[in-house]
Amino acid sequence: MELMFQILIEAILQARLAICREEVSMKLVFVSNYINHHQMPVSLELDRLCRAEGGSYAFVQTEPMERERVAMGWGEMSREADFVHNFWEDEEGCQELIDRADAVIFGGCEDERYIRARLEAGSPVWRYSEPLYKTGRYKWISPKGLLKKYHDHTRYRRKRVYLLCAGAYVAGDFRLVGAYGGKRFRYGYFPAFRQQEMKSLMAEKDRVSPGKLRVLWAARMIDWKHPETALRVAAALREQGIDFQLDMIGGGEMLEEMRELADTLGVEQQVSFPGYCNPEKTREYMEKAHIFLATSDRQEGWGAVVNEAMNSGCALIAGKGMGAAPYLITHGENGYLFDHGKPEQAAELALKLAGDAGLRRCLGTAAYETVRTLWNPEIAAQRLYACIEAELEGRELPEFGSGPLSRDLICL
């Protein structure tokens, strides 16, 4: 009789353990337009975390990548990951993954049909959004727009829906439409982190072109990325007799205009236009640059070049309208911020850095440490996983004082 009782107790304990294992075996799905090198590192870490506890991770792409971005090398990594699924190739299978997931991360896609059933059922959704009003918050007063925002967001403010803010201006936009309240979290995009030995990295920057200041700009050459600002900076450096080289990586509709502007400003000898480079090649340029110019305005929801340049030990001069800039940069400590509408500010900061190699190294080192210790894909994924796990288990979400998954209560 005692033996039977022990067997029964053991069976009950094993059953309870199985339930516990099932509870922590998370099925997590990320739904977005497509995966790229800014999202892959976090996805790899989320996949590792899910598998480690007997769960699963899937990334569902809703549409093929544009040819321009494929040409830039953005799609190379997705072919190597077995957790990537294409909705247009298997609609039924992908929708089943979404519907049966314990939690879904959803962003980069305007079509709500993928998560509609989850929202109506009250299942957990972690929205991943760039700013709503990139071209001006005056647009929030549009009755049609407010109705759309209410339908997609505001009506779920008390449901199990959370907001990952891919940019410093996201929380403020959603506050305007009364959505998510204290459930708005700092997030972003997280390119692969490269471990650097800073003394060697800084020495290499000086060794590449001894005595010459190396300045870098990298983006598509379109109006709201303001490539002309980089050339205005170049002109200011030339006027002060600085020996420098400006590399402007990228192509686009303004390329020829920028070539002509370089001639007009008299900096054609100091400026090169290498064209598009894949992410790996762009990082090589960053690791050789002393100063990186990030000149976009508020239409740049995030701006992953900020992460990458900081990881590369560059002294960064960034437009404060870029979503990544206020999150990652503390002005004067690990980089500089300027008003994108005032290119003369960027020029003044560049001249200050041009004349002070020690300051460049100080800012570049601090920038690197910001990424190494806080804004990197491993920390972002681990914190996100911890928050999702806590929510699923009905626990209070962990509190982080700064960095990814800290609550964005400031609302710029």
Side-chain angles (χ1 to χ4, degrees), residues 276-290:
Y276 282 126
C277 294
N278 63 29
E280 181 71 22
K281 187 66 175 177
T282 301
R283 283 288 190 108
E284 290 178 12
Y285 271 94
M286 288 178 175
E287 289 170 3
K288 295 174 182 176
H290 297 105

Side-chain angles (χ1 to χ4, degrees), residues 52 55 80 122 139 190 215 220 226 250 285 293 327 332 352 384 397:
E80 303 172 6
K139 292 185 176 181
F190 301 89
V215 185
R220 287 179 294 150
H226 298 285
Y285 271 94
L293 301 172
Y327 273 180
K352 182 177 181 179
L384 177 56
L397 271 59

Side-chain angles (χ1 to χ4, degrees), residues 307-319:
N307 311 56
E308 294 168 329
M310 293 175 76
N311 188 182
S312 301
C314 296
L316 187 64
I317 299 174

Side-chain angles (χ1 to χ4, degrees), residues 3 6-7 42 116 155 164 173 309:
L3 178 61
Q6 289 178 347
I7 292 173
V42 166
R116 186 172 295 126
R155 64 180 175 142
L164 300 173
D173 283 2

Side-chain angles (χ1 to χ4, degrees), residues 7 95 107 356:
I7 292 173
Q95 192 61 59
D356 194 335

Side-chain angles (χ1 to χ4, degrees), residues 120 149-159:
E120 296 301 329
K149 300 302 181 294
Y150 176 83
H151 183 272
D152 292 349
H153 302 286
T154 312
R155 64 180 175 142
Y156 299 112
R157 62 187 178 275
R158 293 188 176 88
K159 303 294 184 179

Side-chain angles (χ1 to χ4, degrees), residues 202-340:
M202 293 302 180
E204 179 64 15
K205 291 176 185 290
D206 294 333
R207 189 196 65 78
V208 174
S209 303
K212 187 185 292 291
L213 181 71
R214 297 188 64 90
V215 185
L216 180 64
W217 183 95
R220 287 179 294 150
M221 294 193 185
I222 54 179
D223 59 355
W224 52 267
K225 291 183 181 281
H226 298 285
E228 74 282 356
T229 297
L231 291 175
R232 299 291 178 188
V233 170
L237 293 172
R238 179 181 175 277
E239 288 174 7
Q240 295 301 314
I242 305 296
D243 184 11
F244 75 96
Q245 169 74 33
L246 168 63
D247 296 309
M248 296 188 67
I249 296 175
E253 60 193 43
M254 293 180 68
L255 176 57
E256 289 308 312
E257 181 183 344
M258 291 303 100
R259 292 184 190 275
E260 293 174 5
L261 181 58
D263 289 342
T264 301
L265 295 173
V267 293
E268 68 279 4
Q269 297 301 315
Q270 290 90 7
V271 179
S272 73
F273 295 92
Y276 282 126
C277 294
N278 63 29
E280 181 71 22
K281 187 66 175 177
T282 301
R283 283 288 190 108
E284 290 178 12
Y285 271 94
M286 288 178 175
E287 289 170 3
K288 295 174 182 176
H290 297 105
I291 298 173
F292 188 88
L293 301 172
T295 58
S296 300
D297 60 31
R298 284 279 289 269
Q299 293 184 71
E300 187 77 80
W302 181 255
V305 291
V306 171
N307 311 56
E308 294 168 329
M310 293 175 76
N311 188 182
S312 301
C314 296
L316 187 64
I317 299 174
K320 62 185 178 183
M322 299 177 70
Y327 273 180
L328 273 67
I329 299 172
T330 300
H331 185 74
E333 293 184 12
N334 63 352
Y336 286 130
L337 299 171
F338 76 97
D339 186 336
H340 72 267

